[in-house]
C-alpha cells in the first residue's frame, strides 16, 4: 500500500517520486514506468471522438488514484483519491488516513484545522468541504436533508452537523479555491529536470510555403549564486530548411534521441520510384521530445529536410484525395488509433485521425542557400 504525503495546491507523493500539479503527462508516465513493480494496473482514459474537450486521465486502479490532465496542454490539473481504503495519506508528516486511522470529519478537523462552511449536494448525497487547493467529499447516505450550519466554536467542523464518524469518500488536490473551474498551473521548476519546453511553435512562411519554424522555448534558468534565484526563462530560436545539423544543435541543443530512417513507405507515391537509386546512407531524425518536434536530415548533405509538429486545427482545403497511412513498427504491429489520412497542401502534409483531429503536420521545402541569404519571414 502506498504511503503518500498530501501537499495542498501542489502535489501527492513520497520521498522517491511526486505527482505535481502542472507536471507534463509524459513525466507522470515516466514515473509510473519506473515504479511499475509497485504501481500496477494503470488505465489510460480519453475521449476518442472529442479528445480536446475531455480531460485525459491516468487511473491508478490498484491505489484508488486518478490523475486528470488538461486536454490541450496535457499538464496535471487535478489529483483525485477516490478510494481512501487503498492508500495511506499524511499531511505535514502526520497520518490522517491509514488502516488504523479512519478519515472521519473529526480527523480532518484535527489534521487540517478550520475552513469555511462546506457545500451539500443533495443529488450525490455528498458534503464537500473545501480548503485552498484541497477538497474532501463526505458520503451522507443516511441523511434525508442537507446538514445545517450552526456555529459552535467549541466543536470546530463538527458544528456543521455532519453525522458523527462520517468518512471521506473522495479527496481532490487542485490549484486555487474552485475545483470545478480549476486549470493546470504553469509547470513547476522542479519538473523541468534540465529539459527545455516549447511554449509555442510558429511556422515561418513566404508566399509559396513554409520556410522553417520559430520556437519560443522555456527553461528553468538559474541566477548567479543560489538556487533560490531559479526562475523560468524564455528564449526564441529559428530553424530553417537547409540548416546543418550543427546549426540545429547550436540553436536547440542536443536532441533526446537520434533515429535513422530504415525505409520510406511513401516512396511509391513519388515519380518513377523504380528508377530511384537506393541511397548508401539512411536519412536520420533529431527527436526533441519535450518540444514536440522531429527534424529530418538528408544523409548526404546533413541538412534539414522536414519538420514534424503537432497542432490542433486544420488549415486550408486540400484539392486531392488523401493517402491512407497505418503506423506500425517491427516491435509493435498494433495501432490503437487505426489508420490515418494524409492531406497535402502548400508544402505541408496534415495527418488526420478518424475523429477528424490532427495527429501531426509535416512541413517540407527546398534547402535554403545559406543563413546570410535568408529573407525575413512572417510568422503565421
Amino acid at each position: 500500500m502506498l504511503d503518500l504525503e498530501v501537499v495542498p495546491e501542489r502535489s501527492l507523493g513520497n520521498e522517491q517520486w511526486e505527482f505535481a500539479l502542472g507536471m507534463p503527462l509524459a513525466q507522470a508516465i515516466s514515473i509510473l514506468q519506473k515504479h511499475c513493480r509497485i504501481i500496477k494496473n494503470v488505465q489510460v482514459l480519453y475521449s476518442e471522438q472529442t479528445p480536446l474537450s475531455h480531460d485525459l486521465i491516468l487511473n491508478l486502479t490498484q491505489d484508488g488514484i486518478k490523475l486528470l490532465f488538461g486536454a490541450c496542454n496535457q499538464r496535471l490539473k487535478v489529483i483525485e483519491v477516490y478510494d481512501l481504503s487503498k492508500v495511506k495519506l499524511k499531511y505535514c508528516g502526520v497520518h490522517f488516513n491509514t488502516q488504523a486511522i479512519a478519515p472521519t470529519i473529526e480527523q480532518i478537523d484535527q489534521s487540517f484545522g478550520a475552513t469555511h462552511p462546506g457545500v451539500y449536494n443533495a443529488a450525490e448525497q455528498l458534503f464537500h468541504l473545501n480548503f485552498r487547493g484541497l477538497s474532501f467529499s463526505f458520503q451522507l447516505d443516511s441523511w434525508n436533508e442537507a446538514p445545517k450550519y450552526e456555529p459552535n466554536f467549541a466543536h470546530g467542523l463538527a458544528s456543521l452537523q455532519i453525522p458523527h464518524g462520517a468518512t471521506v469518500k473522495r479527496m481532490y488536490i487542485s490549484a486555487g479555491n474552485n475545483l470545478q473551474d480549476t486549470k493546470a498551473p504553469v509547470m513547476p521548476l522542479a519538473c523541468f529536470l534540465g529539459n527545455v519546453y516549447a511554449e509555442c511553435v510558429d511556422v515561418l512562411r513566404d508566399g509559396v510555403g513554409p520556410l522553417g519554424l520559430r520556437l519560443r522555448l522555456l527553461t528553468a534558468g538559474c541566477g548567479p549564486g543560489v538556487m533560490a534565484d531559479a526562475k523560468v526563462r524564455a528564449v526564441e530560436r529559428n530553424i530553417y530548411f537547409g540548416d546543418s545539423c550543427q546549426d540545429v544543435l547550436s540553436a536547440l541543443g542536443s536532441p533526446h534521441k537520434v533515429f535513422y530512417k530504415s525505409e520510406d513507405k511513401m516512396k511509391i507515391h513519388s515519380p518513377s520510384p523504380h528508377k530511384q537509386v537506393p541511397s548508401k546512407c539512411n536519412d536520420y531524425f533529431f527527436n526533441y521530445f519535450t518540444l514536440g518536434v522531429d527534424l529530418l536530415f538528408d544523409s548526404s548533405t546533413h541538412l534539414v529536410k522536414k519538420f514534424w509538429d503537432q497542432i490542433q486545427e486544420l488549415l486550408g482545403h486540400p484539392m486531392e484525395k488523401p493517402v491512407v497511412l497505418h503506423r506500425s513498427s517491427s516491435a509493435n504491429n498494433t495501432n490503437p488509433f487505426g489508420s490515418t489520412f494524409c492531406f497535402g497542401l502548400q508544402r505541408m502534409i496534415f495527418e488526420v485521425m478518424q475523429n477528424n483531429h490532427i495527429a501531426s503536420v509535416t512541413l517540407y521545402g527546398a534547402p535554403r542557400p545559406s543563413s546570410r541569404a535568408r529573407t525575413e519571414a512572417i510568422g503565421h
Side-chain angles (χ1 to χ4, degrees):
M1 180 179 290
L2 296 179
D3 191 351
L4 306 177
E5 178 81 19
V6 174
V7 183
E9 207 172 17
R10 179 184 147 183
S11 64
L12 180 70
N14 54 30
E15 295 179 354
Q16 287 74 42
W17 51 264
E18 179 183 55
F19 293 124
L21 296 179
M23 169 183 285
L25 171 65
Q27 198 168 120
I29 292 177
S30 179
I31 292 175
L32 296 174
Q33 290 175 329
K34 185 177 180 180
H35 299 277
C36 61
R37 294 185 179 182
I38 300 174
I39 306 175
K40 304 177 181 179
N41 302 326
V42 178
Q43 297 176 337
V44 180
L45 308 176
Y46 62 94
S47 171
E48 290 188 352
Q49 296 303 317
T50 55
L52 301 181
S53 301
H54 297 82
D55 293 335
L56 195 155
I57 301 173
L58 296 180
N59 183 14
L60 284 58
T61 59
Q62 176 180 277
D63 307 295
I65 300 172
K66 286 182 180 178
L67 307 176
L68 284 70
F69 295 82
C72 295
N73 58 31
Q74 294 191 352
R75 295 201 310 269
L76 183 57
K77 74 173 190 178
V78 176
I79 302 171
E80 175 187 351
V81 181
Y82 62 88
D83 191 342
L84 279 73
S85 66
K86 296 182 177 181
V87 65
K88 296 179 182 179
L89 299 173
K90 55 187 175 182
Y91 174 65
C92 293
V94 180
H95 285 97
F96 64 91
N97 175 65
T98 66
Q99 292 177 328
I101 303 175
T104 63
I105 182 63
E106 291 80 14
Q107 182 63 51
I108 299 302
D109 186 10
Q110 177 181 339
S111 299
F112 294 91
T115 187
H116 298 290
V119 178
Y120 180 70
N121 188 315
E124 298 179 343
Q125 289 190 319
L126 291 176
F127 184 82
H128 303 286
L129 193 61
N130 302 313
F131 298 82
R132 182 170 180 82
L134 185 67
S135 300
F136 295 96
S137 297
F138 296 85
Q139 186 74 56
L140 303 179
D141 294 328
S142 60
W143 278 62
N144 296 321
E145 59 180 352
K148 299 178 181 179
Y149 172 66
E150 295 180 2
N152 186 328
F153 299 106
H155 295 90
L157 294 181
S159 65
L160 296 175
Q161 291 193 353
I162 297 177
H164 175 74
T167 59
V168 177
K169 183 177 178 63
R170 297 190 186 96
M171 182 192 76
Y172 303 90
I173 300 174
S174 62
N177 292 318
N178 192 335
L179 179 62
Q180 302 301 322
D181 298 330
T182 189
K183 297 181 180 178
V186 297
M187 190 186 310
L189 287 171
C191 290
F192 277 84
L193 300 176
N195 293 308
V196 178
Y197 289 84
E199 183 180 38
C200 63
V201 179
D202 295 327
V203 178
L204 302 174
R205 296 170 50 85
D206 58 12
V208 180
L211 301 175
L213 295 178
R214 173 178 293 135
L215 301 96
R216 180 175 172 82
L217 308 177
L218 300 179
T219 178
C222 296
V226 296
M227 284 299 295
D229 293 334
K231 61 181 181 180
V232 176
R233 302 177 185 271
V235 296
E236 282 193 356
R237 294 290 186 268
N238 292 348
I239 300 296
Y240 296 90
F241 293 114
D243 279 353
S244 67
C245 58
Q246 290 82 5
D247 292 332
V248 174
L249 290 172
S250 177
L252 303 181
S254 298
H256 290 83
K257 289 185 179 180
V258 178
F259 296 96
Y260 291 88
K261 191 175 181 182
S262 59
E263 59 181 345
D264 187 355
K265 294 183 178 180
M266 302 297 287
K267 180 179 179 181
I268 193 173
H269 296 283
S270 60
S272 304
H274 60 282
K275 296 182 181 179
Q276 294 185 5
V277 179
S279 175
K280 295 181 180 180
C281 301
N282 294 330
D283 293 345
Y284 56 96
F285 289 93
F286 277 6
N287 171 239
Y288 290 91
F289 183 77
T290 58
L291 306 184
V293 174
D294 283 347
L295 303 179
L296 173 63
F297 292 85
D298 187 279
S299 60
S300 56
T301 62
H302 303 282
L303 301 179
V304 174
K305 289 176 61 177
K306 297 181 181 178
F307 295 98
W308 181 88
D309 184 33
Q310 292 186 349
I311 63 173
Q312 299 177 6
E313 59 182 4
L314 180 63
L315 302 176
H317 301 279
M319 302 300 294
E320 299 181 359
K321 293 183 178 180
V323 174
V324 180
L325 175 65
H326 184 77
R327 293 183 178 272
S328 62
S329 64
S330 57
N332 180 14
N333 293 323
T334 62
N335 185 340
F337 303 105
S339 300
T340 55
F341 298 94
C342 296
F343 296 87
L345 176 69
Q346 298 181 13
R347 297 211 313 253
M348 296 178 286
I349 299 175
F350 298 89
E351 183 185 3
V352 184
M353 297 185 293
Q354 296 180 13
N355 58 9
N356 289 326
H357 285 71
I358 298 295
S360 70
V361 175
T362 300
L363 314 180
Y364 60 93
R368 307 285 288 175
S370 66
S371 58
R372 295 180 180 179
R374 294 175 187 140
T375 57
E376 293 186 359
I378 301 176
H380 293 278

